[in-house]
Amino acid sequence: MDERGIYLDNNATTPVDPAVIEAVVDALEHGFGNPSSQHRFGEEARRSLEAARSSVAGLFGARSSSEIVFTSGGTESIQTALFAALSGRPPGVVLTSATEHAAVLRPLERWREQRIDHERVPVDRDGRIDVERLLERVADLGPRLRLVTLHWANNETGALLLDSDIERLSRATRAAGALFHLDAVQIPGKLPMRIDGLGVDLASISAHKFHGPKGVGALYVRAGALERFPALLTGGPQEGDRRAGTPNLPGIAGLARAAELARAHAEDRAARARVRDLRDLLEAELASRFSEARVNGNAGPRLENTSSITLPGVDGELLLMTLASEGVAVSGGAACSSQKRAPSHVLLAMGLSEEEASQTVRFSLSRRTTEPEIRRALAIVLRVVEDLQALRTGR
Ligand code: PLP
């Protein structure tokens, strides 16, 4: 157990795997060449860059490593995808959902200035995207549709799109002559990714969400999906002219090692079941002690590591702070929104009231979470919640 406490906030970021640290340090020590250089140092750097690309293609389940573009993380991958799909295109519409990450929703607001509008399709009480409604909108919009962008899984609740639904949506989108981008940031290490079979055009990931370093990620670009690929970052011809700038080789070496480990974990059913059983234990114990506790999204498909729990009568902010002081690291929604007190747009879109949203905490586990950690965290959570309830009722 880490002396700083029990870390159950893995959808925000993950501890870096020791094997990843080794790969980063090795690249820093030995792989300093510029992959664009013509000498031996450059050639070695080029070779490690291409080996890394192949590992990341393997994680995605891509057909070819030429379909992988390295970026600075999830946010840049997403904006690169939006830019490539939308820039220079006639006015039109983007379809998305109400529960997407701010890294998608905020740039879409800006695209309105270019007369590219967007519609946010609603989700149900369990965070399920209304796939039928989306398919109808795809058909209605026809040639006015430019892009469909959806998250594979939601970071706050773990609510998940099924592979079969992604396939239906990507097929319909292609038939309408538009592109399909998948925000896959929460998927590596949690589910096997067979991106080629899903038929999506673009997909984004970020290394720090799967035990890799921060500030590095990748964008999958299906071969032949885009006639032209206007780059968001222009300058040198790196990444096949799709992302200029000398690549972050140490970060990419870490991303590649993390990708190999994430892929192995996601393909290992027993290892995944261990994480799910720990999550289920947490939920079962909380539900047995607090009958009014509700697990958000539990009637729909969801990630096996994530638990978003609303505890009526408990001030989530106070709970979070008290747990933090007792060494249990959880989150009250998206990490980025936990600094400001605005209620989570994800929970509101699922029909929770502002009060219910403020009474919600998110536990997110990783392959490194242990049973003693969960049992210890549970003992603390149960005690703290009881104390807060007693404080409120004055008992
Ligand atoms: N998309 C989702 C679903 C996320 O959870 C996150 C990060 O929380 C992002 C995008 C942005 O990724 P990054 O912060 O690595 O740029």
Side-chain angles (χ1 to χ4, degrees):
M1 227 175 273
D2 191 309
E3 74 275 5
R4 286 164 299 181
I6 302 166
Y7 188 75
L8 298 174
D9 200 13
N10 289 280
N11 285 8
T13 196
T14 50
V16 183
D17 194 285
V20 170
I21 296 176
E22 224 174 88
V24 173
V25 170
D26 185 61
L28 282 167
E29 281 180 349
H30 307 294
F32 74 89
N34 186 327
S36 300
S37 302
Q38 291 311 312
H39 42 64
R40 189 154 151 210
F41 299 90
E43 195 182 302
E44 272 179 21
R46 211 153 44 242
R47 225 178 297 127
S48 45
L49 184 65
E50 292 319 312
R53 204 181 301 282
S54 165
S55 296
V56 174
L59 169 71
F60 269 111
R63 187 170 293 197
S64 151
S65 57
S66 64
E67 296 177 314
I68 305 303
V69 178
F70 292 119
T71 68
S72 69
T75 300
E76 189 194 311
S77 293
I78 291 165
Q79 326 262 310
T80 302
L82 297 184
F83 194 84
L86 303 176
S87 97
R89 306 274 294 133
V93 178
V94 176
L95 289 175
T96 190
S97 85
T99 55
E100 299 300 311
H101 194 272
V104 170
L105 295 178
R106 291 195 64 189
L108 283 180
E109 291 294 340
R110 249 200 217 171
W111 276 100
R112 284 205 163 116
E113 292 161 18
Q114 313 297 320
R115 301 205 294 150
I116 306 276
D117 210 349
H118 68 273
E119 291 177 19
R120 301 179 186 184
V121 169
V123 299
D124 69 8
R125 185 85 197 176
D126 286 299
R128 274 180 291 218
I129 291 168
D130 191 338
V131 175
E132 302 310 321
R133 166 109 169 244
L134 204 47
L135 286 167
E136 265 170 40
R137 290 303 295 142
V138 169
D140 288 350
L141 286 165
R144 288 208 302 132
L145 181 66
R146 296 281 164 270
L147 176 73
V148 176
T149 177
L150 295 173
H151 52 19
W152 198 333
N154 182 269
N155 47 307
E156 293 188 41
T157 62
L160 194 61
L161 263 179
L162 296 175
D163 285 13
S164 53
D165 284 334
I166 298 174
E167 271 180 61
R168 286 164 71 208
L169 285 164
S170 72
R171 211 176 303 127
T173 303
R174 196 180 308 173
L179 293 165
F180 192 103
H181 167 252
L182 197 56
D183 173 355
V185 167
Q186 289 294 339
I187 301 301
K190 297 171 187 160
L191 283 176
M193 299 168 78
R194 315 212 192 286
I195 209 82
D196 190 52
L198 296 178
V200 307
D201 301 300
L202 300 147
S204 299
I205 60 166
S206 190
H208 74 101
K209 302 287 187 184
F210 52 99
H211 306 282
K214 289 169 184 58
V216 62
L219 176 67
Y220 160 84
V221 184
R222 188 169 59 79
L226 286 89
E227 271 169 37
R228 42 187 274 286
F229 191 100
L232 177 67
L233 294 186
T234 52
Q238 290 91 352
E239 298 296 293
D241 240 355
R242 294 171 295 185
R243 198 273 189 182
T246 303
N248 166 15
L249 267 186
I252 290 168
L255 162 67
R257 189 73 191 99
E260 290 159 8
L261 297 170
R263 183 182 181 187
H265 180 77
E267 300 283 352
D268 182 342
R269 277 171 186 274
R272 274 174 47 202
R274 199 188 61 76
V275 176
R276 190 189 56 233
D277 289 348
L278 290 178
R279 194 273 311 266
D280 291 350
L281 170 71
L282 187 78
E283 289 182 354
E285 291 285 316
L286 278 168
S288 77
R289 189 73 74 90
F290 308 110
S291 56
E292 68 283 14
R294 270 199 324 273
V295 179
N296 297 303
N298 66 342
R302 80 190 155 118
L303 292 175
E304 294 161 336
N305 78 313
T306 307
S307 187
S308 165
I309 302 188
T310 302
L311 292 156
V314 176
D315 178 344
E317 197 71 28
L318 197 55
L319 175 59
L320 224 67
M321 275 161 39
T322 316
L323 289 178
S325 73
E326 299 245 4
V328 181
V330 296
S331 153
C336 35
S337 67
S338 65
Q339 298 299 317
K340 52 181 168 78
R341 282 162 199 265
S344 143
H345 73 285
V346 173
L347 299 174
L348 296 185
M350 289 164 67
L352 273 72
S353 67
E354 289 199 8
E355 187 181 30
E356 286 168 324
S358 75
Q359 297 168 335
T360 301
V361 283
R362 177 190 70 187
F363 299 86
S364 48
L365 286 58
S366 84
R367 63 172 187 256
R368 294 161 61 95
T369 307
T370 64
E371 184 170 343
E373 283 180 321
I374 290 295
R375 293 210 178 271
R376 174 106 191 88
L378 260 172
I380 296 170
V381 172
L382 294 176
R383 173 168 52 74
V384 168
V385 172
E386 266 171 10
D387 286 353
L388 292 180
Q389 282 180 331
L391 201 67
R392 184 170 156 271
T393 54
R395 267 183 282 131

